[in-house]
């Protein structure tokens, strides 16, 4: 308990999150579905000022009630936390007319209802509403469940993403595509191609080096990173992955794995990046989401400090 109490007090003369060039954040449900408790950990124990929203109270943001949104807003104010983005499930669906993806999975929807392509306009409208209510200008999306051969559908998918970015752009909101290992844009090199094809100022990237590793891009940093247009990266998820004893790639704490986060943070800073670096632990080696996230945060914080960004 003493550690938490110490962390809650300003440590004069020591580095703090407020001095970072980045908006250091945590996805709240990686700690707990109890939104108040998660925010307390982020603000008081970790000493941070930003939170990324995906689930709360066992529900995806797509289905929380107006009363729950009002309660969440009060909690954010109580802990002086700002929202980095709405981590929506937009376009985590099969592309219409294509073969059903072997990667489509309702387990990977973080509490959102399994939906079809035809319902994505509703997901988008809801996400725009949530972004405005939580005072953020970013909505996360995906590049549809991964196809063995996306080539016949790529041009149509690109047009859908571009048109959606125009819709969010009219609302002053960026559409932030995440490279996701189960979707068609999974690696840094694939993200570079997607961004090259969709030249909209409202269409940007959530760089997730851990996801790229999970898809087999073991040199996500620096190889995948080097392929990316740095000026179009406007969000970053922090997690890591290793090979286990059987050779399978599995999640790991942020400071252990294929991604050298000290070097990645240094490269982000050198590129002039000023948006969020958001802890998305995924690793559950400490038994519970909170215990695992605390260990991952300790490692991430050390990487930030080693890179001169904390």
């Amino acid at each position: 308990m003493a550690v938490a109490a110490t962390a809650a007090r300003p440590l004069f003369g020591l580095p703090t999150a407020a001095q970072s060039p980045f908006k250091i954040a945590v996805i709240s449900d990686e700690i707990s579905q109890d939104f108040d408790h998660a925010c307390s950990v982020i603000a008081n124990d970790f000493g941070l000022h930003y939170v990324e929203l995906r689930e709360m109270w066992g529900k995806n943001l797509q289905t929380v009630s107006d009363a729950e949104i009002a309660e969440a807003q009060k909690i954010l104010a109580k802990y002086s936390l700002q929202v980095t983005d709405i981590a929506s499930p937009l376009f985590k669906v099969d592309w219409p007319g294509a073969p059903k993806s072997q990667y489509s999975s309702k387990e990977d929807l973080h509490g959102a209802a399994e939906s079809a392509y035809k319902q994505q306009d509703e997901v988008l409208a809801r996400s725009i509403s949530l972004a405005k209510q939580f005072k953020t200008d970013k909505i996360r999306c995906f590049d549809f469940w991964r196809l063995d051969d996306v080539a016949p559908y790529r041009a149509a998918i690109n047009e859908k993403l571009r048109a959606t970015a125009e819709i969010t752009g009219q609302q002053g909101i960026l559409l932030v595509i995440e490279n996701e290992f189960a979707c068609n844009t999974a690696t840094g090199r694939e993200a570079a191609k997607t961004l090259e094809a969709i030249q909209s100022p409202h269409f940007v990237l959530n760089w997730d080096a851990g996801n790229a590793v999970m898809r087999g891009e073991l040199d996500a940093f620096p190889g995948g990173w080097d392929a990316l247009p740095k000026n179009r990266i406007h969000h970053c998820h922090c997690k890591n992955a290793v090979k286990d004893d059987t050779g399978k790639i599995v999640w790991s704490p942020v400071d252990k794995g294929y991604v050298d986060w000290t070097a990645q943070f240094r490269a982000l800073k050198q590129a002039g990046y000023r948006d969020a670096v958001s802890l998305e632990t995924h690793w559950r080696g400490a038994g519970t989401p909170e215990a695992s996230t605390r260990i991952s945060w300790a490692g991430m914080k050390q990487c930030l400090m080693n890179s001169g960004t904390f």
Side-chain angles (χ1 to χ4, degrees):
M1 290 302 291
V3 174
T6 304
R9 293 198 298 270
L11 302 175
F12 297 106
L14 292 177
T16 68
Q19 294 168 312
S20 176
F22 311 139
K23 296 170 180 174
I24 305 169
V26 185
I27 299 181
S28 67
D29 61 82
E30 291 279 335
I31 297 171
S32 173
Q33 290 289 345
D34 179 336
F35 190 60
D36 187 288
H37 178 67
C39 288
S40 174
V41 171
I42 292 167
N44 293 334
D45 296 6
F46 295 177
L48 304 179
H49 310 288
Y50 294 91
V51 60
E52 181 170 354
L53 302 185
R54 183 176 60 195
E55 292 177 74
M56 50 183 69
W57 302 303
K59 296 180 180 180
N60 190 277
L61 279 185
Q62 294 288 317
T63 60
V64 294
S65 67
D66 289 346
E68 286 166 329
I69 289 173
E71 179 63 20
Q73 289 168 332
K74 284 183 196 165
I75 290 167
L76 291 167
K78 178 165 88 168
Y79 294 107
S80 300
L81 288 170
Q82 289 177 256
V83 175
T84 57
D85 67 307
I86 301 300
S88 88
L90 183 65
F91 300 144
K92 231 180 195 184
V93 294
D94 282 301
W95 180 254
K100 184 168 174 61
S101 170
Q102 63 176 304
Y103 300 101
S104 61
S105 155
K106 62 174 178 284
E107 281 78 43
D108 203 23
L109 290 172
H110 297 285
E114 212 172 356
S115 61
Y117 177 82
K118 64 178 182 287
Q119 293 159 300
Q120 295 310 290
D121 287 349
E122 297 166 32
V123 175
L124 175 61
R126 171 67 170 172
S127 300
I128 290 171
S129 171
L130 287 163
K132 292 185 173 182
Q133 290 178 86
F134 285 110
K135 299 181 171 59
T136 177
D137 63 350
K138 297 180 183 71
I139 292 169
R140 188 265 304 271
C141 77
F142 297 96
D143 189 13
F144 302 91
W145 291 126
R146 192 170 183 90
L147 294 165
D148 292 335
D149 180 16
V150 72
Y153 313 99
R154 190 68 258 182
I157 291 173
N158 289 345
E159 176 52 31
K160 179 62 177 178
L161 292 169
R162 188 203 63 76
T164 304
E166 290 307 306
I167 293 168
T168 64
Q170 288 165 6
Q171 302 289 331
I173 293 170
L174 292 172
L175 185 65
V176 188
I177 191 167
E178 176 173 340
N179 62 289
E180 156 68 45
F181 58 91
C183 294
N184 290 305
T185 294
T187 66
R189 291 166 176 87
E190 287 174 350
K193 289 179 182 174
T194 303
L195 290 164
E196 174 65 27
I198 304 168
Q199 291 289 335
S200 165
H202 315 299
F203 186 74
V204 298
L205 178 68
N206 169 20
W207 171 229
D208 192 318
N211 277 348
V213 169
M214 192 60 75
R215 176 39 58 196
E217 190 176 55
L218 302 185
D219 68 336
F221 184 88
W225 162 261
D226 286 344
L228 295 169
K230 309 302 183 281
N231 64 324
R232 292 185 71 185
I233 303 171
H234 283 274
H235 195 67
C236 180
H237 277 167
C238 303
K239 55 180 180 276
N240 217 332
V242 294
K243 273 188 182 167
D244 67 10
D245 295 340
T246 69
K248 183 184 177 188
I249 300 173
V250 295
W251 300 121
S252 58
V254 168
D255 60 337
K256 296 175 176 66
Y258 280 99
V259 183
D260 179 345
W261 274 104
T262 296
Q264 175 68 90
F265 288 140
R266 196 177 289 128
L268 281 161
K269 182 184 179 184
Q270 288 168 349
Y273 183 78
R274 293 293 179 268
D275 285 293
V277 291
S278 186
L279 176 59
E280 185 187 25
T281 314
H282 273 15
W283 173 71
R284 291 290 179 262
T288 67
E290 179 174 341
S292 304
T293 296
R294 285 181 181 275
I295 290 171
S296 257
W297 165 242
M300 178 177 165
K301 182 179 180 181
Q302 192 60 56
C303 292
L304 286 160
M305 292 174 72
N306 292 348
S307 67
T309 58
F310 190 89

